[in-house]
């Protein structure tokens, strides 16, 4: 085997409640998956067409660590999201089998340089600089799923400095977890380690240095950070 010129970047590993660590592969993010958030961004949800963008594994920041305010933005936004963690891959996965690919769930923050994303939208350019940057995917520990029962009744919530900014129930998602896995698997070959950030409810907004963020979903392990 050929020697490497330099060591590969380490894969982020998410802690798992009661199990070994979860090495992160790709991070797929769903756009406009809550109708009230789509509306606050000036859109209606298109039931016919979910759409996606990605964050890269090196953009992961573990919950509990501080997030340095990122460069080239003056409008850093929080987006609180359910993270679905896959431990089985595949393509063209039928909806009826999709839940067998789910390892568990977590709380995540899709941090967004909203001004750069807005400029990209205006110019019909990719969203990468607004979405996939250092520390932009803040992820909490994973909780293994307990059976395939629906988690639609769980409350998803984000508090900033103790004040609730976002709150909804997971059942408000336009696209269900099995629908998203089935659809994504027609676009990409999914692999164990892949994560799906399933979109954010209404109430997104700016954060500033000094702000403390805490996101919760039911009794999953929370995601927490402080902007510094
Ligand atoms: Mn998002």
């Amino acid at each position: 085997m050929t020697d490497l010129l330099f060591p590969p970047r380490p894969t982020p590993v998410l802690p798992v409640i009661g199990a070994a660590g979860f090495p992160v592969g790709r991070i797929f993010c769903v756009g406009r998956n809550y109708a009230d958030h789509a509306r606050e961004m000036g859109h209606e949800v298109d039931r016919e067409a979910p759409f996606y963008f990605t964050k890269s594994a090196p953009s992961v920041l573990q919950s509990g660590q501080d997030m340095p305010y990122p460069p080239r933005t003056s409008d850093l936004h929080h987006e609180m999201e359910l993270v679905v963690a896959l431990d089985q891959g595949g393509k063209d996965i039928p909806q009826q089998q999709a839940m067998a690919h789910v390892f568990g769930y977590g709380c995540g923050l899709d941090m967004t340089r909203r001004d750069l994303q807005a400029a990209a939208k205006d110019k019909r350019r990719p969203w990468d600089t607004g979405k996939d940057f250092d520390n932009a995917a803040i992820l909490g520990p994973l909780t293994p799923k307990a059976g395939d029962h629906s988690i639609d009744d769980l409350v998803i919530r984000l508090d900033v400095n103790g004040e609730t900014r976002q709150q909804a129930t997971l059942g408000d998602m336009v696209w269900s977890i099995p629908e998203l896995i089935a659809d994504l698997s027609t676009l990409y070959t999914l692999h164990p380690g892949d994560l799906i950030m399933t979109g954010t409810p209404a109430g997104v907004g700016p954060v500033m240095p000094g702000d403390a963020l805490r996101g919760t979903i039911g009794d999953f392990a929370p995601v927490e950070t402080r902007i510094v």
Side-chain angles (χ1 to χ4, degrees):
M1 170 166 162
T2 314
D3 286 339
L4 299 174
L5 285 168
F6 46 84
R9 273 180 96 161
T11 300
V13 176
L14 298 181
V16 176
I17 307 300
F22 184 98
V24 175
R26 300 193 70 177
I27 306 170
F28 299 101
C29 304
V30 185
R32 296 173 203 149
N33 202 25
Y34 290 80
D36 56 355
H37 170 63
R39 251 173 251 124
E40 77 179 345
M41 301 300 288
H43 299 276
E44 286 301 318
V45 170
D46 183 353
R47 244 326 277 190
E48 297 306 306
F51 73 93
Y52 310 96
F53 58 92
T54 59
K55 292 181 187 255
S56 55
S59 75
V60 170
L61 179 70
Q62 304 271 355
S63 176
Q65 298 190 325
D66 291 345
M67 179 189 191
Y69 197 90
R72 299 282 294 268
T73 184
S74 52
D75 199 21
L76 176 68
H77 274 212
H78 57 76
E79 295 192 359
M80 175 62 198
E81 312 204 356
L82 167 72
V83 179
V84 176
L86 307 183
D87 64 353
Q88 282 185 51
K91 36 184 171 180
D92 300 325
I93 300 165
Q95 264 186 53
Q96 298 76 7
Q97 289 165 31
M99 290 307 292
H101 298 251
V102 174
F103 166 75
Y105 305 108
C107 295
L109 285 165
D110 166 13
M111 300 304 290
T112 302
R113 291 192 283 210
R114 192 72 75 201
D115 41 4
L116 298 190
Q117 183 199 26
K121 285 181 179 176
D122 282 349
K123 294 179 175 166
R124 299 185 171 202
R125 289 179 180 166
W127 289 8
D128 300 48
T129 60
K131 288 292 196 178
D132 186 9
F133 54 93
D134 293 352
N135 308 308
I138 309 178
L139 302 177
L142 298 178
T143 302
K145 71 174 179 185
D148 286 345
H149 64 269
S150 168
I151 57 170
D152 282 357
D153 59 339
L154 296 185
V155 173
I156 178 170
R157 191 172 104 188
L158 179 74
D159 290 353
V160 179
N161 303 325
E163 180 184 308
T164 300
R165 295 274 185 88
Q166 296 186 268
Q167 185 166 322
T169 60
L170 295 182
D172 294 335
M173 288 197 292
V174 174
W175 297 93
S176 70
I177 295 165
E179 285 173 328
L180 290 170
I181 293 169
D183 187 61
L184 269 172
S185 76
T186 65
L187 289 163
Y188 303 97
T189 302
L190 300 177
H191 292 270
D194 288 347
L195 300 175
I196 306 171
M197 299 187 76
T198 53
T200 197
V204 301
V207 289
M208 298 296 293
D211 285 347
L213 283 63
R214 178 181 163 85
T216 58
I217 300 173
D219 59 0
F220 299 156
V223 59
E224 295 177 290
T225 194
R226 194 164 50 102
I227 313 297
V228 298

